[in-house]
Amino acid sequence: MSFGAFNHHRNPGPMADINVTPMVDVMLVLLVIFILSAPMFTHAVKLDLPKAQAQASPQQAATVTLSIDGAGKIFWNNDPVEQSVLEARLVEAAKLEPQPELQLRADKDTRYEVVAQVMAAAQSNGLTKLGFVTDPKREGKK
């Protein structure tokens, strides 16, 4: 390894040597540390844990599908409903425990006004779980 030369008249070229000794030293130290610490990671403490009774899992919430076609007609689980009947069903659904999840499926040609009215009706009647359903497979198809 050369840091300088006695001949100062010569044009010094770029240094092509890389000193890897410090890197090897660090790697060996890390290897020793990992070898010594590996048994600590796999060591387990034997415990006699107490037994407990698990409660039954809570009842899954029902799902209500609200569909709106391109003409603005509303369907409750594939059954056509009028606005007044929809309000009554939303009130009944809000009283259920656990509260059902409302899945809103709207045709891409549906006016936003109809979707906003359905969302406002659900919120005003106490439903808090609302999801939008899309079909990404059909986006490119006509």
Side-chain angles (χ1 to χ4, degrees), residues 2-13:
S2 168
F3 289 111
F6 292 114
N7 187 1
H8 296 291
H9 301 293
R10 203 174 85 186
N11 189 8

Side-chain angles (χ1 to χ4, degrees), residues 67-83:
S67 304
I68 306 171
D69 66 3
K73 190 161 175 79
I74 302 171
F75 297 86
W76 180 281
N77 289 337
N78 297 329
D79 298 327
V81 293
E82 296 299 322
Q83 187 68 26

Side-chain angles (χ1 to χ4, degrees), residues 16-138:
D17 296 338
I18 297 175
N19 190 1
V20 294
T21 304
M23 183 180 70
V24 171
D25 289 344
V26 169
M27 290 300 158
L28 288 174
V29 169
L30 287 175
L31 180 65
V32 168
I33 290 172
F34 287 137
I35 288 173
L36 293 176
S37 64
M40 287 185 252
F41 294 132
T42 59
H43 182 70
V45 177
K46 302 247 186 232
L47 295 176
D48 188 17
L49 297 175
K51 305 288 186 215
Q53 294 290 334
Q55 295 179 358
S57 61
Q59 180 182 354
Q60 291 289 347
T63 303
V64 175
T65 303
L66 271 180
S67 304
I68 306 171
D69 66 3
K73 190 161 175 79
I74 302 171
F75 297 86
W76 180 281
N77 289 337
N78 297 329
D79 298 327
V81 293
E82 296 299 322
Q83 187 68 26
S84 59
V85 176
L86 175 66
E87 295 279 338
R89 287 192 180 180
L90 289 172
V91 169
E92 291 174 17
K95 292 178 184 175
L96 294 176
E97 192 62 40
Q99 200 175 66
E101 179 182 337
L102 203 59
Q103 293 184 350
L104 188 59
R105 303 171 68 102
D107 190 272
K108 68 178 184 176
D109 297 327
T110 304
R111 293 179 46 94
Y112 177 72
E113 178 184 10
V114 178
V115 176
Q117 288 173 350
V118 170
M119 289 171 49
Q123 182 183 15
S124 65
N125 288 310
L127 287 169
T128 58
K129 297 178 184 176
L130 176 68
F132 292 94
V133 180
T134 61
D135 191 4
K137 293 180 252 176
R138 293 187 182 179

